[in-house]
Amino acid sequence: MIQFLLNQDLIKLEAVAPSLSILDWLRIKKGKTGTKEGCASGDCGACTVIVGDKKQGRWQYKSINACLMLVGSLHGKHLVTIEAVSKTDFPQLEDLHPVQKAMVECHGSQCGFCTPGIIMSMLALYLNHQTYPGKLAAIHALGGNLCRCTGYSPILKAVEKCFEYPRADHDWQSATQLLENKLIQSATPFLVEQTRHFYLPQNLAELVRLRAEMPNTRLVAGATDLSLEFSQQLKESSSLISLTQCQELLSFQSDQSGIFIGAATPYSEFVGEFCKIYPEASELFERLGSCQVRNAGTLGGSIGNASPIGDPAPLLIALNASIELTGKKGKRQLPLDEYFIAYKTTQLADDEVISGFYIPPRPANLTLACHKISKRIEDDISAVCLVLALSTDDSQINHARVALGGMAAIPARAKQVEQALLGQTTSLVTFQTAASLIHQDFSPLSDVRASSDYRIKVSENLFTRIWHENFGRIDTQAQSLTIQPSATRVNHAAL
Ligand SMILES: Cc1cc2nc3c(=O)[nH]c(=O)nc-3n(C[C@H](O)[C@H](O)[C@H](O)COP(=O)(O)OP(=O)(O)OC[C@H]3O[C@@H](n4cnc5c(N)ncnc54)[C@H](O)[C@@H]3O)c2cc1C
Ligand code: FES
Ligand code: FES
């Protein structure tokens, strides 16, 4: 059995299909149709709901896509739907909640189909901020919500406006306290429907035991990739092992020996700290999916999926990260660039899980450049993702790692390019000479995202851009050629 709150109601569930999404449960089983289905693939945000989780003694709320997140992962959590935006949950309200009132006053809704999802994304931002956090934070909060008729200016104005009204805070304390009391008494949670189970191991030992006993049972973390098999390809799932409550996989540690990121830690829970050490990676993470996707998606899911177009792999490979795999024989570590063997084929053994990632300490004099080429800024998959990490000694390159996604069947290093950089000075000629070797490292495919020629050309050109952004001032002393490194667009720690 699993237990969670739906708005103020305690829900106990036992017989539910492992692949049932929160959206289908709400609409079909509970008749709560305020939450809409647009795409069922995480792209439109019509299904946005808020999920609360008690962390470090306090309930924290974030927006997620109900079409992707699975009901089983709600155990111990607080699901807040559009129906809660009312006087029952926000007792100070006389009529509309400030986020609703602002949408009305700013004309933020026309046909209204996207509106419940937009209200929930606005509410998540509102719950996490006492004052308007600025336009960039508003854009990031709403980057995963599409509106086909209103236009985004009135909606963004409404985000600002809702903070101008008297504050309306929720009254969820007695409901969350009730849930906490119930959880103390509950046994290990799971769901079962006929022979299909949704397991929720609470620690690594339990997870490894289940994995060893049932090597064919799929693992699931944020479900932002896996759920597409159910919602788009209409595949039936057998049992699933969820990693979302396995404590050892939900951590971020940083000290002099480097960084450890637990494989099932959602992006939004570690990116702020990570980007204090590697601010150059901010934009890559800000542009990974949408706010809703980053609130659920994990590094373990990205690398576990072994997609050649995932954005984290080039970054981790360029930073010389190792992957930690845990199985019945214990833990082993290997360099991430050796983990990928061929398209969707990796070194992961049947009894293993990815438990985390180690990133060595930031080297002195590191220049890190991260570039994602995609058709849209928000919520789009890369055509090419290029990450370059190099260190210099008296402007001579003594360490160079260049990793790309979207250029081959696996994320991979550009080894010829790296060789051409090593030992050279950081001149434009060095960068352009190295870039001209990209075609020796990769023969990319043409697909819907980009042609093979485009992928090669844009990768080559990125080297010129990276040089101007990082070394232009040193070599040219010419103001016209000096481009400042891209500014960190949003302070994640403040979100
Ligand atoms: C709308 C949308 C936009 C997206 N945009 C981007 C983007 O811009 N950039 C990008 O890189 N990705 C993007 N993604 C892809 C996805 O969000 C990421 O790959 C995410 O990191 C997947 O993590 P997850 O926890 O949700 O994975 P899940 O869906 O839970 O799992 C994915 C796969 O990995 C396996 N797996 C999960 N955890 C482990 C583990 N610890 N050990 C072994 N195997 C494991 C699962 O069995 C499954 O096969 C997008 C997805 C959506 C829906
Ligand atoms: S229905 Fe479109 S994101 Fe969920
Ligand atoms: S108001 Fe019609 S889709 Fe947004």
Side-chain angles (χ1 to χ4, degrees):
M1 184 175 74
I2 64 163
Q3 301 187 74
F4 60 94
L5 285 179
L6 167 59
N7 302 327
Q8 306 241 17
D9 298 334
L10 182 70
I11 304 288
K12 297 180 182 189
L13 286 181
E14 191 155 347
V16 168
S19 55
L20 187 71
S21 69
I22 294 176
L23 182 65
D24 284 349
W25 179 74
L26 282 172
R27 291 180 61 87
I28 299 167
K29 307 270 183 198
K30 297 297 285 180
K32 288 210 179 293
T33 51
T35 307
K36 305 298 178 210
E37 175 169 341
C39 61
S41 60
D43 290 296
C44 76
C47 66
T48 305
V49 292
I50 292 176
V51 172
D53 198 2
K54 193 163 186 190
K55 297 252 160 88
Q56 284 134 18
R58 152 179 113 78
W59 283 86
Q60 297 175 20
Y61 291 88
K62 56 190 188 181
S63 58
I64 60 104
N65 295 119
C67 65
L68 299 178
M69 194 168 180
L70 303 175
V71 170
S73 54
L74 282 176
H75 177 70
K77 303 204 170 153
H78 183 187
L79 173 62
V80 182
T81 66
I82 187 71
E83 287 82 4
V85 191
S86 71
K87 202 168 164 43
T88 320
D89 293 63
F90 294 85
Q92 304 107 314
L93 293 184
E94 285 176 9
D95 49 12
L96 297 178
H97 188 280
V99 296
Q100 296 168 310
K101 202 167 157 187
M103 281 287 274
V104 174
E105 291 205 359
C106 298
H107 305 285
S109 176
Q110 287 191 27
C111 82
F113 193 81
C114 68
T115 309
I118 287 180
I119 293 282
M120 295 311 280
S121 286
M122 284 171 69
L123 183 64
L125 191 72
Y126 186 87
L127 293 178
N128 288 309
H129 294 86
Q130 291 295 313
T131 55
Y132 179 55
K135 193 168 180 186
L136 283 175
I139 290 172
H140 279 286
L142 289 172
N145 291 85
L146 296 183
C147 173
R148 61 177 190 168
C149 32
T150 304
Y152 298 104
S153 292
I155 296 169
L156 287 172
K157 276 192 193 126
V159 179
E160 185 168 3
K161 184 102 188 150
C162 72
F163 288 94
E164 292 170 9
Y165 301 122
R167 190 86 200 160
D169 287 313
H170 55 76
D171 182 13
W172 291 329
Q173 206 188 337
S174 43
T176 51
Q177 190 61 60
L178 173 71
L179 175 66
E180 285 171 39
N181 294 343
K182 295 279 177 194
L183 290 176
I184 292 168
Q185 301 151 15
S186 70
T188 306
F190 68 95
L191 289 172
V192 58
E193 194 216 37
Q194 295 170 351
T195 54
R196 302 186 296 170
H197 287 69
F198 187 90
Y199 299 98
L200 277 155
Q202 304 289 296
N203 55 53
L204 192 55
E206 209 181 329
L207 169 61
V208 168
R209 180 183 59 74
L210 287 168
R211 185 80 170 132
E213 281 170 12
M214 297 175 286
N216 295 325
T217 301
R218 301 286 296 273
L219 300 169
V220 61
T224 60
D225 268 318
L226 189 69
S227 277
L228 302 182
E229 291 187 15
F230 314 135
S231 69
Q232 303 296 298
Q233 299 165 27
L234 305 182
K235 282 190 189 165
E236 277 292 312
S237 101
S238 51
S239 294
L240 294 173
I241 301 174
S242 169
L243 310 177
T244 52
Q245 312 217 339
C246 180
Q247 287 313 310
E248 292 90 333
L249 271 55
L250 300 172
S251 63
F252 176 90
Q253 288 146 33
S254 164
D255 57 28
Q256 286 170 343
S257 63
I259 296 173
F260 174 79
I261 306 173
T265 316
Y267 292 111
S268 58
E269 290 177 25
F270 72 80
V271 164
E273 288 302 309
F274 181 87
C275 289
K276 285 182 188 163
I277 301 163
Y278 293 106
E280 304 92 332
S282 297
E283 195 176 324
L284 204 62
F285 283 118
E286 281 163 18
R287 292 181 54 200
L288 195 158
S290 60
C291 185
Q292 293 92 322
V293 167
R294 293 187 295 273
N295 282 336
T298 65
L299 278 185
S302 178
I303 305 302
N305 193 32
S307 162
I309 48 172
D311 297 322
L315 174 66
L316 293 177
I317 291 173
L319 293 179
N320 201 9
S322 304
I323 186 167
E324 182 189 82
L325 308 173
T326 305
K328 60 188 177 197
K329 291 188 198 137
K331 291 181 193 276
R332 64 182 173 122
Q333 261 184 47
L334 61 154
L336 185 58
D337 60 328
E338 292 173 18
Y339 176 72
F340 302 104
I341 299 170
Y343 180 68
K344 299 246 175 189
T345 309
T346 69
Q347 304 257 17
L348 189 76
D350 283 352
D351 66 302
E352 286 179 324
V353 297
I354 302 168
S355 40
F357 300 88
Y358 287 96
I359 300 152
R362 183 175 178 128
N365 300 328
L366 178 78
T367 297
L368 178 67
C370 309
H371 288 281
K372 169 170 178 164
I373 305 295
S374 60
K375 289 182 180 165
R376 289 191 313 187
I377 294 286
E378 306 286 339
D379 205 358
D380 202 0
I381 305 283
S382 295
V384 172
C385 178
L386 185 152
V387 181
L388 175 146
L390 60 82
S391 303
T392 50
D393 192 3
D394 283 340
S395 77
Q396 191 175 44
I397 300 169
N398 58 13
H399 165 91
R401 278 175 84 96
V402 182
L404 289 97
M407 297 289 282
I410 54 173
R413 283 168 67 188
K415 291 192 176 168
Q416 307 270 4
V417 173
E418 288 175 2
Q419 282 308 316
L421 289 168
L422 277 173
Q424 304 298 316
T425 57
T426 53
S427 69
L428 182 57
V429 172
T430 299
F431 272 64
Q432 291 182 334
T433 307
S436 69
L437 301 177
I438 281 271
H439 70 277
Q440 292 188 14
D441 281 312
F442 298 106
S443 310
L445 290 175
S446 294
D447 65 12
V448 288
R449 293 198 176 84
S451 67
S452 172
D453 287 349
Y454 177 84
R455 286 183 154 112
I456 292 283
K457 195 73 204 159
V458 82
S459 307
E460 284 176 8
N461 290 347
L462 280 173
F463 280 82
T464 303
R465 178 173 167 181
I466 290 169
W467 181 83
H468 281 303
E469 286 182 343
N470 292 280
F471 303 103
R473 196 180 319 175
I474 297 166
D475 268 31
T476 64
Q477 309 265 311
Q479 199 62 34
S480 59
L481 280 177
T482 303
I483 301 172
Q484 295 300 324
S486 24
T488 301
R489 295 199 306 161
V490 169
N491 177 1
H492 285 277
L495 288 181

